[in-house]
């Protein structure tokens, strides 16, 4: 049985945990990490070929500085790993006048003096034959938006964390953890591991690890669909088609990606059933497909041809859909990280750095107050 001691232990090595392992190990710290699967895998929240990254962030101005740091760190990771991780396509965010999407993007862009364009429905149609916004809609173009390749990003963080000395133990679920003033202990089926601090970044499995904390998290099934365009297929490549997000009504958002050879990927945001992470329904049916197809027929009629493939992943949501990043209220050497409510992957490179800071100093250079646990007790 293992009895070695480490500086930091990490439970969950997906987007956030793998990035934290990399940043900690790069600083020369002794790191051990555990995952119940073998990331990058298709059992959690970090698969499906593509993720959006964007700078003019509708969800709140506080996110912008973090995503700007994430851009820098993705570029560094590309250079160190020799992998292509980011493809700049630009991004279009659509909404009717006064929609939360348009107002949020514009506020972030103006607050941080970001480059952007605001386009009328007619201007969108003149520039892009593939989009059909309603007359009362506007769009904001974010030139820095684009695509991250999630499986490659996670693999790059894992490979380089190991290169820097991390001990990452895959297919080894953590069974329990305890914390004292002397450090933390993690129990797995293979042994006992001791460390000075612990990062809990287990995504959809995080609620099982919260040691009785009453945090209102809910795991949601999210379906991803890939279509073969009916027509104008040449206009859906990444050189012609930006990533896109549509606000078609209060709480109704669709998003998607250009065709990278596997079809045009489209999904509806926050439309799935609640789920148990160990019992997620992986198959899809007409109830999953019809809302997306109906959206496409109205706003992007060249897309909804043959359904080429479909996958299910998971979101782990907070009630306000902001992140959960904080120290455990009873154990200051335990960092609770992730539940990113379906919009967190783009931040993973920067979150790895933030989690490394929290695990070693208890502090971050970013204002994380909006991500704290205390907001659930008000």
């Amino acid at each position: 049985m293992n009895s070695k001691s480490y500086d930091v232990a990490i439970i969950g090595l997906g987007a956030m945990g793998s990035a934290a392992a990399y940043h900690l190990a790069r600083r020369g710290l002794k790191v051990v990490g555990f995952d119940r699967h073998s990331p990058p895998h298709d059992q959690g929240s970090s698969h499906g070929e593509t993720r959006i990254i964007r700078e003019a962030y509708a969800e709140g101005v506080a996110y912008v500085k973090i995503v700007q740091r994430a851009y820098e760190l993705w570029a560094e990771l590309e250079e160190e790993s020799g992998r292509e991780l980011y493809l700049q396509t630009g991004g279009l965010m659509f909404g009717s006048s006064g929609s939360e999407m348009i107002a949020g993007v514009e506020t972030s862009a103006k607050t941080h003096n970001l480059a952007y364009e605001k386009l009328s429905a007619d201007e969108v149609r003149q520039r892009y034959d593939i989009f059909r916004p309603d007359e009362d809609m506007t769009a904001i173009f974010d030139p820095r938006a684009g695509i991250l390749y999630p499986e490659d990003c996670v693999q790059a963080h894992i490979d380089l964390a190991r290169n820097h000395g991390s001990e990452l133990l895959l297919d080894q679920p953590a069974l329990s953890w305890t914390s004292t003033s002397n450090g933390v202990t993690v129990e797995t089926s293979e042994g006992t591991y001791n460390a000075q601090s612990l990062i809990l970044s287990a995504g959809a499995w995080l609620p099982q690890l919260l040691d009785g904390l009453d945090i209102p998290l809910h795991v949601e099934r999210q379906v991803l669909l890939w279509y073969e365009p009916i027509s104008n297929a040449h206009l859906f490549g990444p050189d012609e088609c930006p990533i896109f997000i549509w606000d078609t009504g209060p709480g109704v958002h669709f998003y998607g990606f250009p065709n990278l050879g596997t079809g045009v990927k489209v999904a509806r945001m926050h439309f799935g059933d609640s789920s148990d992470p160990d019992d997620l329904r992986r198959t899809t049916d007409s109830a999953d497909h019809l809302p997306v197809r109906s959206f496409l027929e109205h706003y992007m009629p060249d897309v909804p041809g043959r359904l080429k493939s479909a996958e299910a992943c998971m979101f782990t949501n907070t009630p306000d859909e902001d992140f959960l990043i904080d120290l455990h209220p009873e154990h200051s050497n335990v960092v609770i990280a992730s539940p990113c409510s379906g919009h967190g992957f783009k931040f993973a490179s920067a979150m790895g750095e933030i989690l490394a800071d929290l695990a070693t100093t208890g502090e971050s250079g970013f204002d994380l107050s909006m991500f704290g646990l205390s907001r659930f007790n008000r």
Side-chain angles (χ1 to χ4, degrees), residues 145-294:
I147 293 167
L148 293 168
Y149 303 116
E151 290 90 347
D152 287 338
C153 292
V154 172
Q155 191 67 64
H157 275 139
I158 286 175
D159 289 347
L160 291 174
R162 283 175 162 158
N163 288 351
H164 289 291
S166 284
E167 187 175 343
L168 304 184
L169 305 174
L170 309 183
D171 298 308
Q172 188 173 153
L175 303 177
S176 65
W177 61 270
T178 55
S179 172
T180 69
S181 58
N182 295 322
V184 296
T185 300
V186 177
E187 298 280 352
T188 78
S189 58
E190 303 298 322
T192 301
Y193 302 82
N194 300 307
Q196 292 302 303
S197 60
L198 171 66
I199 296 173
L200 300 175
S201 54
W205 290 270
L206 180 64
Q208 303 172 13
L209 296 166
L210 288 177
D211 192 30
L213 281 185
D214 184 18
I215 300 176
L217 303 177
H218 115 265
V219 176
E220 178 186 27
R221 178 174 170 272
Q222 174 73 3
V223 173
L224 316 171
L225 305 170
W226 284 260
Y227 292 92
E228 184 176 319
I230 296 170
S231 58
N232 287 322
H234 64 289
L235 297 180
F236 288 97
D239 292 335
E240 300 283 342
C241 177
I243 62 94
F244 48 88
I245 304 173
W246 294 74
D247 178 347
T248 62
V252 183
H253 296 159
F254 295 85
Y255 64 95
F257 303 80
N259 186 355
L260 301 181
T262 54
V264 179
K265 177 183 168 185
V266 189
R268 180 173 173 178
M269 192 77 172
H270 294 307
F271 183 63
D273 301 326
S274 295
S275 181
D276 182 292
D278 293 312
D279 193 30
L280 181 75
R281 180 165 62 89
R282 301 282 171 182
T283 58
T284 65
D285 55 27
S286 60
D288 299 313
H289 308 163
L290 287 176
V292 176
R293 187 173 286 275
S294 177

Side-chain angles (χ1 to χ4, degrees), residues 7 43 107 135 182 258 267 295-296 317 323 328 374:
D7 295 310
Q43 300 299 300
T107 298
E135 285 299 328
N182 295 322
F295 155 76
L296 290 169
N317 300 316
F323 298 171
H328 193 291
S374 62

Side-chain angles (χ1 to χ4, degrees), residues 8-120:
V8 183
I10 303 170
I11 300 178
L13 295 170
M16 306 300 168
S18 64
Y22 164 68
H23 281 282
L24 288 161
R26 194 167 69 160
R27 298 177 188 183
L29 294 169
K30 196 173 181 181
V31 178
V32 64
F34 313 93
D35 199 282
R36 66 178 51 239
H37 298 294
S38 185
H41 56 72
D42 63 359
Q43 300 299 300
S45 304
S46 301
H47 64 280
E49 183 183 53
T50 52
R51 289 292 184 277
I52 288 173
I53 185 169
R54 49 197 163 94
E55 185 176 31
Y57 214 64
E59 289 79 350
V61 296
Y63 286 97
V64 175
K65 289 188 180 298
I66 302 175
V67 82
Q68 288 175 330
R69 179 58 177 156
Y71 274 103
E72 295 172 354
L73 291 171
W74 288 126
E76 288 183 16
L77 190 67
E78 280 190 314
E79 184 174 355
E80 188 175 352
S81 67
R83 294 172 178 263
E84 181 187 6
L85 304 176
Y86 161 62
L87 177 64
Q88 185 172 357
T89 63
L92 277 174
M93 276 62 78
F94 294 89
S96 58
S97 298
S99 73
E100 289 185 4
M101 174 68 66
I102 296 301
V105 172
E106 201 163 16
T107 298
S108 283
K110 289 179 177 179
T111 301
H112 292 279
N113 195 30
L114 308 178
Y116 75 102
E117 288 183 83
K118 192 171 185 178
L119 305 173
S120 69

